[in-house]
Amino acid sequence: MYNKNYAKKRYKYHKTFDYSKSIFQDYPDELVKIRGNSKKINFKTEYFLPVNYSKKKNFGNPQSIQIVGKYAYIMYTLKGGSNYGFVARYNLSKLKLLGVTNQGTMSIFRKATYNFKNNKTSDLDNEIMKCIKVGPTKRIGHGQSMAYNPKSKQMWFITKNKINATIQRLDMKTLKPKNKINFRLNAFTPMGANLTFDKKGNAYYYSYSSGGPIPKKTVKLYKGKITNKSVKFKIIMQGIRRAPGATAQSISYNPKNNNLYLISDSGVSRIPIKRLGKLRKKDIRTVITNQKREFEGLGFTKKGIGYLMPNKGPELMKLSNANF
């Protein structure tokens, strides 16, 4: 399906972030639409995520996000290119009550984790730190694929996205990996590096064509099922000619409007699940934003409120219109 090309080409990430100064930022960042066929939309900081935690674990490289109830689960790799990392769980409701989302005091979240790292915490810092649970460091792959299945109430992530692939389940209480499954889809379909589930328990991932019969950079979508014993996927027999950006960062699902979201750097495309395989140009909505940021993931609440997670620096930005 030949949709219009709105995407930014590959770019070097703009250095808008200074780790040493970030703990003093009390007012939100904002991203605005500069092109695309979406309705009016912007993205505004709701939570400035931590950038420090301990000498062995830093929060500077988030890769994927899932929002389940009052919690945000974020998967981090130790550094760029590492296959090792951990999951942190944030109690967003309690953090909000402590003032981390209020303009004028938004820095207190990052200050608390900075002070914790340097053993100089106040009573407020300690209350904020109680809202964070950090799991053990394990092999997690690239980290882009952590996804929650609302039907089975299970969290899964891909640790190896090749022809011979591996998926693991995450214990949502201990934040430890469990239930490893080794699988092979077929000789022509390597497992993708991103993953999401809809409310019926169907799993989805996407990748870009490398060329050949399918034009280069065409979006290829896959649908399947993941159980405790098996993984099965089939390609959806309709591609999308134009992706929202040069890099396939992640895929997400909004339970309120039953749409999939393809996330790339600086851009997001929205696709209705009911139209998969028979998409029309008007079905695909795309927004391209005004900054050269790295978009890592997009999490949705049950009510359909969307939170974009850009990196450099890491934060959760609320979508003004998640149904764009």
Side-chain angles (χ1 to χ4, degrees), residues 8 51 73 91 161 170-171 176 185 193 212 215 224 242 250 263:
K8 284 185 181 179
V51 293
Y73 293 79
N91 188 323
N161 60 305
L170 181 79
D171 188 308
K176 295 178 180 179
L185 297 180
R242 307 295 183 183
S250 62
I263 298 95

Side-chain angles (χ1 to χ4, degrees), residues 244-311:
T247 304
Q249 290 283 22
S250 62
I251 184 170
S252 187
Y253 171 74
N254 185 341
K256 185 70 174 179
N257 62 16
N258 200 36
N259 278 207
L260 293 176
Y261 292 73
L262 310 183
I263 298 95
S264 187
D265 292 333
S266 287
V268 180
S269 289
R270 190 205 76 184
I271 304 168
I273 282 181
K274 67 180 181 180
R275 298 292 307 175
L276 289 177
K278 51 185 178 181
L279 288 166
R280 304 159 296 183
K281 288 183 180 181
K282 66 180 182 180
D283 293 325
I284 300 175
R285 294 284 182 179
T286 298
V287 57
I288 305 298
T289 60
N290 63 328
Q291 291 186 19
K292 293 181 178 180
R293 300 285 299 275
E294 186 176 8
F295 288 6
E296 299 290 3
L298 179 59
F300 287 95
T301 68
K302 260 189 174 182
K303 294 181 178 180
I305 299 171
Y307 291 94
L308 178 72
M309 185 174 68
N311 201 357

Side-chain angles (χ1 to χ4, degrees), residues 34-235:
I34 56 171
R35 63 176 180 268
N37 63 339
S38 69
K39 298 176 183 178
K40 186 176 181 181
I41 183 173
N42 66 357
F43 307 78
K44 194 172 184 179
T45 309
E46 188 85 351
Y47 299 84
F48 282 123
L49 295 173
V51 293
N52 297 280
Y53 185 73
S54 69
K55 292 181 179 180
K56 292 185 178 181
K57 292 182 179 179
N58 74 78
F59 284 176
N61 203 40
Q63 294 296 315
S64 53
I65 177 173
Q66 293 290 295
I67 297 177
V68 184
K70 63 185 178 182
Y71 295 115
Y73 293 79
I74 297 178
M75 181 167 274
Y76 296 84
T77 52
L78 297 181
K79 60 182 180 179
S82 174
N83 285 317
Y84 287 84
F86 58 92
V87 174
R89 189 185 71 193
Y90 299 92
N91 188 323
L92 297 182
S93 299
K94 285 188 177 180
L95 286 167
K96 193 165 190 175
L97 289 174
L98 291 170
V100 307
T101 63
N102 297 337
Q103 293 191 31
T105 60
M106 297 181 79
S107 65
I108 60 175
F109 195 6
R110 284 181 173 166
K111 285 178 180 175
T113 52
Y114 177 83
N115 292 338
F116 172 74
K117 182 179 180 180
N118 292 282
N119 300 312
K120 294 180 180 179
T121 55
S122 66
D123 289 341
L124 177 59
D125 293 338
N126 290 329
E127 288 302 309
I128 289 174
M129 294 306 297
K130 290 178 183 178
C131 299
I132 308 172
K133 180 179 176 63
V134 181
T137 298
K138 298 289 184 180
R139 185 178 180 86
I140 60 168
H142 193 284
Q144 291 176 306
S145 61
M146 185 179 66
Y148 179 70
N149 185 337
K151 186 171 184 180
S152 66
K153 295 180 171 52
Q154 296 176 337
M155 192 84 78
W156 293 89
F157 62 98
I158 305 295
T159 53
K160 186 168 68 172
N161 60 305
K162 297 183 179 181
I163 295 294
N164 293 307
T166 305
I167 190 169
Q168 284 192 265
R169 183 178 161 194
L170 181 79
D171 188 308
M172 296 174 67
K173 291 184 179 180
T174 65
L175 306 183
K176 295 178 180 179
K178 57 189 289 187
N179 290 56
K180 181 188 290 187
I181 304 174
N182 297 314
F183 64 96
R184 181 185 178 96
L185 297 180
N186 61 54
F188 306 103
T189 307
M191 184 63 199
N194 51 67
L195 181 68
T196 196
F197 294 89
D198 66 20
K199 58 188 173 185
K200 294 181 180 180
N202 297 307
Y204 303 86
Y205 74 87
Y206 78 106
S207 61
Y208 292 168
S209 169
S210 58
I214 302 174
K216 192 174 182 179
K217 288 292 183 180
T218 296
V219 172
K220 300 187 297 181
L221 283 158
Y222 299 81
K223 180 180 179 180
K225 289 285 186 181
I226 297 172
T227 70
N228 288 332
K229 295 182 179 180
S230 68
V231 179
K232 296 179 181 180
F233 278 94
K234 288 185 178 180
I235 191 169

